[in-house]
Structure formats: C-alpha cells, structure tokens
C-alpha cells in the first residue's frame, strides 16, 4: 500500500487533490490543508501534530536549569516562548513545569491559535499569550529565558530520508528563522530544538551557544547544501546562550551539563 502511495504522490495534482479533500475534514486536517493551499511566507511545517508532555526529558532539564530563577530577587517571572505551538498543548504542558512563568505561544495557523485561546483557564489569562505569526519578529531580543522550537523546522515528505532535500525547504530559510528565534533568548538562557531537518549547530549564530543536552537522532538531517547526512546517532537538543563578553556571569546562574 505504501509503495502505491509513493507512486501516486508523484502524479501532478495529487497533493493538491488531497489538500482540497482535507478542507472538508474537521479539526487540524482542515487547518493543515489551508496552509498547504495558501503556502504563506514563513511556512515550514503545515501539520499541527501535537500532544501533552511530548518532551518530558527536555522540559524537566529546563526546569532544573531555570529554577531557582536567577532574577527571583528582582521578582521577575520566567518568560518562555513556544514557537510553532499548534493548538497549545506544549504551552499548557510548560505551565505544569513552570506554574508562575509568563508563556507565549506562536503559530502560523489562525484556527489553531483560536483553539488554544479557548483552552486558557481564566486564572492564567494574564500569564498566557497566544499569537498568530510566521516568525518571532514581533518579540523583543534577549527577552526570553527559554525558547522552544519542537518539530517545526521539518517536513513530513522527508520522513523516509531522500538523498536530497526538497519540499520547499532550504538551509538558508532555516538559518534565518532559527537565528531570529535564538536572538530572543537572553544571555544565559536556553534554546530547545528537536526534530528539525537541519542542525542548529551548523548555523552561524550557534557559535554563541553551548550544547548542554543530547537525544537520539530520529528525524533525517541535511547539510547546508541539502544533501542527506548519514550516521547521525545523537543530536544536541538543548543549547545555552553564552553571556556577552562584557557581561559577567553571575555565581547563581544554573548550568546544566
């Protein structure tokens, strides 16, 4: 069955027909179809597959690293950003790890964000924010203690790992997008990225970060030219931003290792 599907997907118009069909389907299939048909600027992953507590090891490591918060003496709450938050399950999961944090979720799909906003409890309205956007351009630099981009910079068409990348992705697009996210992380803060078809470590901005956590490599990886990388057993999934040279590290800054 899978073999015939692979052949069918090469027929001109097949994917368009699937997207048109999914417009009549409920829930996220319709949201994904809208994105596939409109192809808005900034789109990487049209599908909004999500779930509760999908990355407990990473979330737990962040909690260890960020609590106690270095700025607690200034009574400043933690600020977290979930990029590509879909219908909000990741944001609501982060709330269980960081009950007093201010958490922002960004997604390119307006229908998904509408679902997420409906689910925010009244008591969390002031500390939970959902934004429809294709990028983090509207967020201030150096303003988040942690930024997460989980299963955003990938495409389902590459799940079988073809020798050369396609699906409209490119390393240049990836680097521009993750660099924009990375500069939203405060010095000493954390950037989590998982299930991307390119490696954050290959970007120029990664020189300002240290990898502090690794996980099994599952998603196919490609180099800067779009060729499939082989034998990638593990990948960094959590990075800590270094302090700027003119900012002294404070002794109470937590370090994960």
């Amino acid at each position: 069955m899978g073999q015939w599907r692979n052949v069918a997907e090469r027929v001109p118009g097949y994917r368009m027909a699937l997207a048109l069909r999914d417009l009549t389907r409920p829930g996220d299939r319709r949201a994904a179809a809208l994105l596939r048909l409109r192809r808005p600027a900034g789109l990487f992953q049209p599908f909004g597959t999500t779930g509760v507590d999908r990355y407990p090891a990473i979330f737990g490591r962040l909690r260890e690293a960020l609590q106690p918060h270095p700025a607690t003496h200034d009574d400043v709450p933690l600020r977290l950003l979930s990029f590509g938050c879909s219908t909000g399950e990741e944001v609501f999961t982060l709330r269980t790890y960081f009950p007093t944090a201010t958490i922002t979720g960004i997604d390119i799909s307006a229908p998904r964000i509408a679902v997420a906003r409906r689910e925010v409890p009244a008591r969390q309205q002031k500390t939970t924010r959902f934004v429809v956007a294709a990028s983090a351009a509207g967020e201030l630099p150096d303003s988040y203690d942690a930024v997460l981009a989980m299963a955003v910079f990938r495409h389902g068409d590459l799940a079988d790992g073809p020798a050369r990348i396609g699906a409209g992705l490119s390393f240049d697009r990836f680097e521009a997008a993750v660099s924009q996210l990375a500069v939203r992380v405060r010095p000493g803060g954390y950037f989590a990225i998982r299930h991307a078809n390119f490696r954050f470590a290959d970007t120029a901005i990664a020189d300002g970060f240290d990898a502090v956590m690794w996980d099994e490599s599952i998603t196919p990886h490609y180099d800067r030219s779009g060729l499939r990388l082989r034998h990638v057993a593990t990948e960094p999934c959590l990075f800590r931003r270094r302090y700027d040279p003119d900012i002294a590290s404070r002794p109470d800054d937590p370090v994960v290792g």
Side-chain angles (χ1 to χ4, degrees), residues 156-219:
D157 292 346
L158 301 171
D160 293 332
R164 182 176 290 277
I165 203 162
L169 299 183
S170 72
F171 183 83
D172 289 345
R173 285 190 64 216
F174 167 77
E175 183 168 36
V178 297
S179 297
Q180 190 177 71
L181 286 174
V183 299
R184 269 66 193 172
V185 179
R186 66 165 176 83
Y190 295 85
F191 182 46
I193 182 168
R194 192 78 172 97
H195 299 307
N197 286 128
F198 295 105
R199 300 183 299 184
F200 177 67
D202 290 337
T203 66
I205 202 168
D207 289 343
F209 288 75
D210 293 310
V212 296
M213 182 178 178
W214 287 255
D215 205 345
E216 180 185 3
S217 179
I218 299 173
T219 303

Side-chain angles (χ1 to χ4, degrees), residues 112-131:
R112 291 173 188 153
I113 290 296
V115 172
R117 286 172 175 163
R118 289 197 296 267
E119 297 298 319
V120 181
R123 66 183 182 279
Q124 296 175 7
Q125 292 284 348
K126 292 184 178 179
T127 56
T128 307
R129 171 173 162 256
F130 286 104
V131 179

Side-chain angles (χ1 to χ4, degrees), residues 21 37 57 70-71 81 104 121 125 165 178 197 212 221 225 241 252 254:
R21 180 202 64 186
L37 291 170
L81 171 61
T104 296
Q125 292 284 348
I165 203 162
V178 297
N197 286 128
V212 296
H221 288 83
S225 67
R241 184 179 170 187
D252 58 343

Side-chain angles (χ1 to χ4, degrees), residues 11-256:
V11 176
Y14 177 78
R15 294 180 188 278
M16 180 66 70
L18 289 180
L20 290 171
R21 180 202 64 186
D22 286 346
L23 282 176
T24 65
R25 303 294 176 89
D28 195 69
R29 293 186 71 171
R30 184 174 187 278
L34 287 171
L35 291 173
R36 290 158 68 191
L37 291 170
R38 294 173 179 170
R39 297 184 180 181
L43 177 66
F44 283 88
Q45 168 64 282
F47 303 103
T49 305
T50 187
V52 175
D53 207 10
R54 295 178 76 194
Y55 307 97
I58 296 175
F59 298 155
R61 196 66 171 272
L62 274 175
R63 179 170 56 188
E64 293 174 9
L66 293 173
Q67 295 183 344
H69 181 218
T72 50
H73 58 279
D74 294 325
D75 197 28
V76 178
L78 286 167
R79 299 193 70 225
L80 311 177
L81 171 61
S82 170
F83 184 75
C85 68
S86 190
T87 47
E89 282 80 352
E90 182 170 287
V91 169
F92 302 130
T93 297
L94 289 170
R95 175 67 62 201
T96 67
Y97 285 83
F98 304 95
T100 61
T102 297
I103 307 177
T104 296
I106 294 178
D107 199 89
I108 197 171
S109 169
R112 291 173 188 153
I113 290 296
V115 172
R117 286 172 175 163
R118 289 197 296 267
E119 297 298 319
V120 181
R123 66 183 182 279
Q124 296 175 7
Q125 292 284 348
K126 292 184 178 179
T127 56
T128 307
R129 171 173 162 256
F130 286 104
V131 179
V132 179
S135 73
E139 307 302 308
L140 293 174
D142 304 337
S143 60
Y144 285 97
D145 296 281
V147 172
L148 300 94
M150 317 299 268
V152 177
F153 300 109
R154 56 168 292 179
H155 201 286
D157 292 346
L158 301 171
D160 293 332
R164 182 176 290 277
I165 203 162
L169 299 183
S170 72
F171 183 83
D172 289 345
R173 285 190 64 216
F174 167 77
E175 183 168 36
V178 297
S179 297
Q180 190 177 71
L181 286 174
V183 299
R184 269 66 193 172
V185 179
R186 66 165 176 83
Y190 295 85
F191 182 46
I193 182 168
R194 192 78 172 97
H195 299 307
N197 286 128
F198 295 105
R199 300 183 299 184
F200 177 67
D202 290 337
T203 66
I205 202 168
D207 289 343
F209 288 75
D210 293 310
V212 296
M213 182 178 178
W214 287 255
D215 205 345
E216 180 185 3
S217 179
I218 299 173
T219 303
H221 288 83
Y222 294 82
D223 65 15
R224 297 177 66 96
S225 67
L227 293 177
R228 171 76 188 273
L229 292 168
R230 302 292 180 182
H231 311 301
V232 180
T234 61
E235 62 175 331
C237 57
L238 186 62
F239 297 81
R240 183 174 187 261
R241 184 179 170 187
R242 299 194 193 105
Y243 279 97
D244 296 335
D246 58 340
I247 300 177
S249 295
R250 291 164 290 186
D252 58 343
D253 283 342
V255 176
V256 294

